[in-house]
Amino acid sequence: MGEIPDSHPRKPSLLARARLTEAAAEGLLAESAMIAHGRGEAFDYLLGEMTSDSALAAIHESAARLLAAERPVISLNGNTTVLAGKDAIRAAAILGCPVEVNIYYRTSERMSKLISTLTEMRDEVSSEPAPDAWTGSQWPDAVMAVEILGADADGRIAGLEGPRSQCSSRGIEAADAVLVPLEDGDRCEALIALGKQVLVVDLNPLSRTARMANVTIVDEVSRAMKKLCKALLDNPSPTQWDNDATLRDALDIMAEASNRI
Ligand code: ATP
Ligand code: MG
């Protein structure tokens, strides 16, 4: 897709499609991945394809809760790995926490492909410039220390049935705070019922996931994860958080989209 000029107003969206198409051909994604992405795109169009102030506040709140957690973990599905895997690794390196591949339709082939994709991404991130406040030599060590969990599904999410209940005992099962971009409603509900802090990224402010999470970042996952890395470096503290207000704000922005005509 090198032929899309920089001036194209919807270049990031087209590049995301190209990346997902390629990843699907490589067998990294479930068949429904494109449908989920298309649903997200529609909401993003209504949001003007940018991070709103309320989404940015939710990003800061999520950063604060991850920093305050004793055992945070970042859960990654196929779409998130493809669209924002490198920033997820960066965030995990800043937090000193693992990432865990956890997919809705679990097959050992897709699990191992996603884990090797993330392993390559981790190598790349380790040789890229350190974020502000990190010395050049600390950074590659912190990045390479990020564990990529998921291959060993030796844990369970209580309250779920079958393969969807599988997780890593040292990752999601043990975690007190889970960042789960693009999570399914059922699993979000189960994690909340276990008393974990559940921080989600979901462009649909009306999805069950969005309404159930402790903090919902209504933003596109690659934009959100990039900003999350920045927010983590600001060392924010958790606040009283009105999640319904952030969902209403996203819906207000979408409702006002008609003013753009
Ligand atoms: P729920 O089960 O929570 O009611 P759902 O069934 O509508 O949600 P899923 O198919 O489980 O949703 O997951 C896809 C969700 O991810 C959708 O809500 C969609 O808006 C969102 N989504 C898709 N792509 C992106 C993206 N790139 N960034 C952020 N959110 C996205
Ligand atoms: Mg669902």
Side-chain angles (χ1 to χ4, degrees), residues 16 20 32-44 77 79-80 83 104-105 181-188 201-212 217-224:
L20 284 171
S32 59
M34 297 295 185
I35 298 171
H37 185 72
R39 179 180 286 165
E41 277 188 340
F43 287 108
D44 203 20
N77 69 358
N79 289 33
T80 304
L83 295 174
Y104 191 91
Y105 302 105
L182 280 51
E183 183 53 296
D184 171 70
D186 287 355
R187 204 149 49 183
C188 181
V201 182
D202 193 331
L203 278 161
N204 177 2
L206 291 171
S207 78
R208 287 193 310 128
T209 302
R211 286 184 287 129
M212 217 131 31
I217 300 167
V218 184
D219 197 13
E220 199 283 320
V221 71
S222 58
R223 288 197 307 266

Side-chain angles (χ1 to χ4, degrees), residues 104-177:
Y104 191 91
Y105 302 105
R106 183 183 277 264
T107 69
S108 53
E109 198 200 347
R110 280 212 305 126
M111 287 298 292
S112 68
K113 283 183 178 176
L114 288 168
I115 288 168
S116 47
T117 299
L118 283 163
T119 306
E120 282 169 26
M121 288 175 165
R122 185 175 60 186
D123 288 343
E124 286 175 32
V125 170
S126 75
S127 59
E128 287 169 5
D132 291 348
W134 283 74
T135 70
S137 63
Q138 279 174 320
W139 180 243
D141 291 347
V143 172
M144 293 313 287
V146 172
E147 265 195 286
I148 300 168
L149 301 171
D152 195 9
D154 58 349
R156 287 288 170 277
I157 302 172
L160 293 178
E161 302 283 316
R164 298 194 28 241
S165 68
Q166 295 181 1
C167 68
S168 163
S169 62
R170 293 186 298 119
I172 290 173
E173 188 178 76
D176 55 347

Side-chain angles (χ1 to χ4, degrees), residues 5-38:
D6 285 342
S7 58
H8 192 294
R10 307 205 49 262
K11 183 167 184 173
S13 168
L14 295 176
L15 285 176
R17 281 190 180 186
R19 261 194 247 135
L20 284 171
T21 310
E22 204 175 296
E26 287 166 6
L28 287 167
L29 305 178
E31 281 173 19
S32 59
M34 297 295 185
I35 298 171
H37 185 72

